[in-house]
Amino acid sequence: MHGRPRKAPTEEEQEASVVKGAKLRSIQAKFFQFHHTNTYTKEALEVNAKLLEMNPEFITGWNYRKLAVQYHLEAAQSDEDSIKSILDEELKVVESALMTNFKSYGAWHHRKWVLNMGHSSTDREMFLLKKFQKLDARNFHAWNYRRFVTALKNIPDEEELQYTTDMIYENFSNYSAWHNRSVLLSRLLKEEVEGYYPKEKVLTEEFEFVRNALFTDPDDQSGWFYHLWLLDQTVKLEHLPVSSWPPNGSNVNVSDYCALSPSLSSISRTLPLILCFSEAVGGINSSTVSVVCESNMDSNLIWTPISVDKSGLARTWLTYLTFSSEPMHPSRNYLVKVSIANSEGIVSSAGFCCSNPSHMAFTICLPSSNTEFDEGPDIERIDWSEENFSSNQLHSENLGLINSFNELTISGGNKKTYETNAKIIADEIAYCRELLSEMDCKIGKLTLARLLLAYDALSSASRGVQDQNMFQYKEILELYHDLMKLDPPHFQYYKDQYSLVFLKQELANEESLLKYCYQYRDSTSLSNNSLCLCLRGLSLSQIGCIERLLWVQMLDLSNNGIRSIEGLESLQLLCCLNLSNNKICSFSALEPLRLLKSLKVLDISHNEIGAHPIDTRRYLCASPLSHASDWKREEFVVSGPEMTIYWDAFSIFSGLNLRQLSVTGNPIADKKFKLFLCKLLPAMKWLDDEKLR
Amino acid sequence: MTYMAAEEDEGPPRIEPTSFDLIVVGTGLPESIIAAAAASAGKTVLQINPDPYYHSPFASLSPKDLISFLHLHSATTSDHDYTDFRTVDSPTDQTTDSSFNILPLSTRPLYSSVEVHVYSPEKVLDDSLQKEFNLDLAGPRVLFCADPMVDLIVDVDVQNCMSFMSVDTSYCIYDECRKGKGGGLLWNSVPGSRNAIFRDRSLSLKEKNQLMRFFKLLQAHYHSNSKSSTMTSNEEDDENNSSMKITPEDLETPFVEFLTCKIRLSPKLTSIILYAITMADYEQDNVEACKKDIVKTKVGIDRLMLYHKSVGRFRGATGAMLYPIYGQGELAHFFCRRAAIMGGISITQMPVVGLLVDKDVGNYKGVKLVTGQELFSHHLILAPTFVIPPGLTTPSVSPQDVYYDFVQQDAREKVVRGICITDNSFKPDVANCLVFYTPKSLCPDQMTSVRIFQLSSNVRACPSGMFVVYLSTICGDVVQGKRSINAAIEALFSTSVSGNSEDNSRDPLRENTVVKVKPTLLWSTLYIQELIMGGFDCVSSTPMPDGNLQYSHVVDAALKLFQKMYPDDEFFPKKMPWWNEVVENGACLSEG
């Protein structure tokens, strides 16, 4: 069924198809007559059966049959025999349709529909399946139906698992068999069926099984897909590291961060509290996360998921701690205690519930002098040129704020499991190396890179600390580097992975992180903390390691190859962002910026916005056509005729309060566009190099 | 011995007509193929079975018949005594026409040193059981699904008369001890296909990878060869640049060198490929021992490709090899039947006593039957048991064409064959399987590989509950050849009653993979078969079964003889007027 070249029809075949077409049309006409008059006589059903046998793809025909069956069943009342004969007839019609085309969706569906009524025997189904699976062992219709029938017949999963083993032994390039194996095993593992526990034992055996396929023919993809699934099962742990801002043990001066609050209330002072999880979670609220402060603090916290979608799940969650302006002791530090997973309710996107609470604490001080931050007219333009940045001498207090990543973990897993699984991965790494020593193999290299990364994650989880050992990263980077050369069609994927690992390596510890920190020349021009994380010219294509960067307010990502800024929305303190000289193709690629409410300075000059007539990212982005959008229609209509052209720019910028924006060097940035921006952003003081007002 | 039942009543029956295009004396496989081919080409053909046993030396017989056949055709005194022990002294010298001379036709012994051991006479020799045995005289022998013999059957067998059974599996026994790796003999299953490699439990992962890559290289090589060198092949060249290529120089090197040095296969894989897939006879990495039988890379690759094409050719066949149900004799029988369907005449149990020769020139003219009847033909094909009498001249054929060697084999070589009937299989759950003992794996002077083929009752080789095992090896030295076979029998079987064995010091098999209890021998026989080659002349003769596992030499000989006789005719023309229904490849081969 696979790999058969299509042949042009011969003259005879063409003639035959013309004849068949004419015949089909005449039967179809007859059928429609019956259908439109709701005629369900024996004759009508025979015409329909003939039609479906000739053309099983005819969905209307199947729907008609369903109506007819319902009609006759009603007439049959509860006479078991006549019900059975009605349904048996249906099974026969389906069977002959499947003989014509066993990949007909309509026919398989009809069969399921009939069997679901529960009046028919399922004995024949296994026989039928055997026949179809012999014809084409990979046919996913048959495999789907097999799952349906086995569920109906209550065939134990173990038995079905053995069937997949047999099928794989027959031909290990059978995706469907491997897939069904993963489905069955997932269930067996979850239910901890006897013989399928502990999970580690099963995983080890499965790795060994698939290893034979990988070594025998590394060019065959089906085994690798299963291997990837196994790897995923091995790494998937009930382990959820959390980082926070303010970091555990830090001391924060609330007034430094007042500017970041959504409402500049003079009465109360606010401090953002950010939690960043290793994967998207839901259920963060004032009962699952408790925050207790010695000082007067509004305890009614509202947590916001920082996410572009509306799923209610997000990696990063934000709330504002509000302190009343009642006199506090200026020189005193007040303790804030945070307990995450205080009560059950946090659910990760992978589906496990976090029940092990994790605690952290930081101190705040509230200076008595109410140094109200004010954006005066004399505020200076941020100049990103290199001479304005000097390598920094960090104050010890700042250091505490940078080190936002701590070892908070909310999880239910036990360390022993991590160790066993790390051992499994270590074995796989050794086998993968053996394979690569025999032959050059792209998928082998990619798998090795994934395994090394998985090993890193597991071993750090088992030790409870982030692995400080860099050699693994170096090898992973080399692998991706090789892959970029070996496999140009997938260059961008490897490049993205490379960027993520590279950032992991560079930002993994304080020492190397500090190498990228610079002091902006004039700290007064910024409200506070003029420390800039400078990741320019590193040929990054995307951002990663976000959980270590929650403290960043000024970020330079210029001169990279960035196409996507996914994840950047987590940097809720971000004020100034330089994305110039990258490969951003559209405004929709900038969507995460919409969530950065503190952003004041943005440089997106010298990108490719407007250069590509087709925006391949648009479907991911909120648009007036997308229901996920939070657009207000009225707003959209009033903003003038340019809106129809610049709606995507509008969607990004309308919610921001930018003071400075550079767009030059993008094909879209003509005079008209700049005028549009001026209208859109009334608070803007600089557009490109020009001072506006 | 009675030749024909009707003899006494009506006198000797007369055969009409008396003149044919071709007379074939013998019903062995090559004779039968030629008879069928000639009849299909529209020739008038008479096929005479001179022997009480059909299809010899390719017959399948009961144990009793087998032994009496072997004794009938074996040397009684010495190997070189070609006396005609059956010469009929009926009126031979008189002919009805004085223009012919009669050259008496004599036979020669085909077998020698026949040994029979009966351990359980009640289980094997009981008269009622004889019909349930089909023992092959020329075993072990199998069909490869893609070999010329199967092609021939597929072409000819339009009515789907033949049925076959798959050979379940093959094992290669290779002495790792000798290669300095652990000890003992290991049963390695022979992985001939991608999935067999995947399933295999004896190969290391590295070996699996190496072997599959080698197979892929072969496929690529085969495809690039089969494709004409057009411009488009450039693209593929670029694609395959990273992988190795087989150069014309490589093709001329010894295969063993190619496998070990170029492909870098492990010794185990090399042995499996050499002895269990390409079926090399002599030890390939011993230059001295295999001077005469060095498998070149080209030959090795061709045989491997045959193996690969065989796997999966037929939907019902699980492996590369097939075996005809009811035994090898069925194949010859099938072609005899074909000859008859195409209008050939066949007479049975009719000894031929002499050849009619032109008095003046000495040309062949016809044959004289034991009944005294003279029959004439343009061509004559004789079974290998007959000695072509001296004094026959060959007018039209140039000297170098007179004798054609169908197989290049040392004239002194013989085949030692053994047949064992046992009570159990080597391996549980395996009915029909091949076993290859690589050279020197049984005893130090085992010069050639020993091939073993176990069959069960599911191919009607024997009554159910028993197994038939064929063994063979080629040898220059008969004593040494027999020692190898005996060593194999001893390694594989136990005897409840101790039979006579020459060597009791063999190590027992390593019991890690083989069944714990060795099967018990019920009956066995050992014999040496001459390797007589065929030749072409006005009187042509067909070859004896060779020492190989396949039938390629038979098809080859039949084809060559046919083409020499009828250079303008097609060997089994594909389009017969009444063969309208073209049967797709394999459809007519059923699983049995």
Side-chain angles (χ1 to χ4, degrees), chain A residues 320-332:
Chain A
Y320 290 98
L321 308 179
T322 311
F323 304 98
S324 64
S325 55
E326 273 161 44
M328 285 168 95
H329 205 283
S331 56
R332 198 185 144 192

Side-chain angles (χ1 to χ4, degrees), chain A residues 542-580:
Chain A
Q542 68 173 14
I543 320 290
C545 225
I546 270 324
E547 67 278 4
R548 294 180 170 272
L549 305 178
L550 298 181
W551 55 273
V552 174
Q553 296 184 51
M554 191 174 190
L555 179 61
D556 185 355
L557 288 168
S558 62
N559 295 291
N560 283 298
I562 291 173
R563 286 161 196 271
S564 153
I565 56 166
E566 249 175 271
L568 213 61
E569 69 274 8
S570 293
L571 307 188
Q572 283 296 312
L573 304 184
L574 197 63
C575 236
C576 307
L577 175 62
N578 186 359
L579 281 170
S580 65

